[in-house]
């Protein structure tokens, strides 16, 4: 009996492909129950022929869906995560707040509502964690008394500076122990922290700007920013010193947050200042 002839390579590849195709067609699609809805196929991709031509030669045997609104029956993963986050935040505002009411709000109003809620529970959250409400460090490592001593030293030199300070802070930074912007409020005289997006803080900030007759500057390297000597040069003259000090606003957040925060309406019209690198 002779040795059977060996099939060429292309024939073996074709045979393996046909076998794999037949196996995949024979195995029914795996179905998983959707939350609050009927059982759906795991594959929800729309058939290309059905979406472009309105017909498909495979018919009911097609592996893809012939339903145009297949995604309408169940929300996407991103939508589900966003709804869960909104529901969690809305409950901190008011336990009776409905998710639907928050979702239909304009983005600006929804941001203000959720930011105000986050700021309102900062103190209680810090106390629950055993942290100081001012420096956000553990009570046994609180540095507020040390900062009070530094403030006395700064008071003796503050008169020559002619500047007042304001920290425009993202609400997430306020409760972080690693954040140093909130420490300025304890060290520098007449320095206040204003939380971005909180209506009460926005009103206080506008009053602070009005108190210096609009002589306020924002430290942010925007395209129209000027150098410190150009911006503060006139403030060093005797005439400007008689008018009172100026207000320097520092944006406290990540770079991504800062780019959004510096566009807040309360900061519109204020001159931007950029620090120049030396060396």
């Amino acid at each position: 009996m002779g040795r059977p002839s060996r099939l060429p390579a292309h024939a073996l590849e074709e045979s393996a492909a046909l076998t794999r195709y037949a196996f995949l067609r024979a195995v029914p699609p795996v179905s998983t129950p959707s939350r609050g809805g009927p059982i759906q196929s795991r594959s929800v991709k729309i058939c290309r022929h059905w979406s472009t031509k309105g017909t498909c030669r495979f018919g009911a045997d097609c592996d893809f869906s012939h339903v145009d609104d297949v995604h309408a029956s169940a929300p996407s993963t991103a939508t589900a995560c966003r709804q869960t986050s909104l529901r969690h935040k809305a409950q901190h505002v008011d336990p009776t707040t409905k998710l639907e009411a928050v979702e239909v709000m304009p983005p600006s109003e929804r941001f203000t509502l959720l930011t105000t809620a986050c700021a309102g529970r900062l103190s209680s959250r810090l106390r629950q964690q055993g942290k100081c409400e001012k420096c956000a460090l553990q009570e046994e490592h609180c540095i507020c008394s040390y900062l009070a001593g530094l403030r006395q030293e700064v008071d003796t030199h503050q008169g020559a500076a002619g500047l007042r300070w304001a920290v425009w802070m993202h609400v997430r930074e306020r409760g972080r122990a690693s954040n140093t912007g909130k420490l300025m409020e304890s060290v520098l005289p007449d320095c206040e922290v204003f939380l971005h997006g909180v209506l009460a803080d926005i009103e206080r900030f506008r009053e602070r700007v009005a108190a210096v007759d609009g002589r306020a500057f924002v430290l942010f390297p925007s395209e129209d920013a000027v150098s410190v000597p150009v911006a503060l040069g006139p403030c060093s003259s005797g005439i400007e010193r008689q008018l009172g000090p100026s207000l320097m606003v520092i944006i406290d957040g990540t770079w991504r947050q800062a780019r959004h925060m510096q566009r807040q309406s309360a900061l519109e019209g204020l001159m931007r200042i950029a620090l120049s690198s030396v060396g």
Side-chain angles (χ1 to χ4, degrees), residues 59-73:
D61 295 332
C62 183
D63 293 334
F64 302 100
S65 176
H66 291 174
V67 182
D68 294 336
D69 58 348
V70 63
H71 294 285
S73 57

Side-chain angles (χ1 to χ4, degrees), residues 170-225:
H170 195 276
V171 67
R172 294 182 181 178
E173 296 291 328
R174 181 60 184 86
R176 292 179 178 173
S178 59
N179 175 266
T180 56
K182 60 182 178 296
L183 304 182
M184 295 179 59
E185 190 175 24
S186 301
V187 176
L188 299 179
D190 297 328
C191 179
E192 293 185 71
V193 173
F194 304 90
L195 296 181
H196 171 70
V198 179
L199 290 179
D201 286 26
I202 294 176
E203 293 300 324
R204 288 194 305 111
F205 178 79
R206 287 174 175 168
E207 294 175 358
R208 191 70 184 273
V209 174
V212 295
D213 296 331
R215 295 186 302 277
F217 309 93
V218 180
L219 186 61
F220 186 80
S222 59
E223 295 182 357
D224 58 344

Side-chain angles (χ1 to χ4, degrees), residues 210-266:
V212 295
D213 296 331
R215 295 186 302 277
F217 309 93
V218 180
L219 186 61
F220 186 80
S222 59
E223 295 182 357
D224 58 344
V226 299
S227 62
V228 175
V230 173
L232 301 183
C235 297
S236 60
S237 63
I239 298 178
E240 291 293 334
R241 281 198 299 268
Q242 295 176 2
L243 296 177
S246 301
L247 180 66
M248 181 67 71
V249 183
I250 299 178
I251 299 180
D252 191 3
T254 65
W255 278 111
R256 182 177 181 180
Q257 294 169 350
R259 283 191 292 268
H260 172 72
M261 294 164 61
Q262 64 97 18
R263 293 194 295 267
Q264 220 280 336
S265 59

Side-chain angles (χ1 to χ4, degrees), residues 74-110:
S76 63
T77 303
T79 302
C81 292
R82 183 176 61 86
Q83 291 178 349
T84 302
S85 177
L86 284 176
R87 184 181 296 107
H88 175 72
K89 295 178 180 178
Q91 289 177 351
H92 289 281
V93 181
D94 185 355
T96 62
T97 302
K98 301 297 184 181
L99 174 63
E100 294 77 10
V102 179
E103 285 187 321
V104 297
M105 288 182 178
S108 58
E109 294 184 10
R110 183 169 62 243

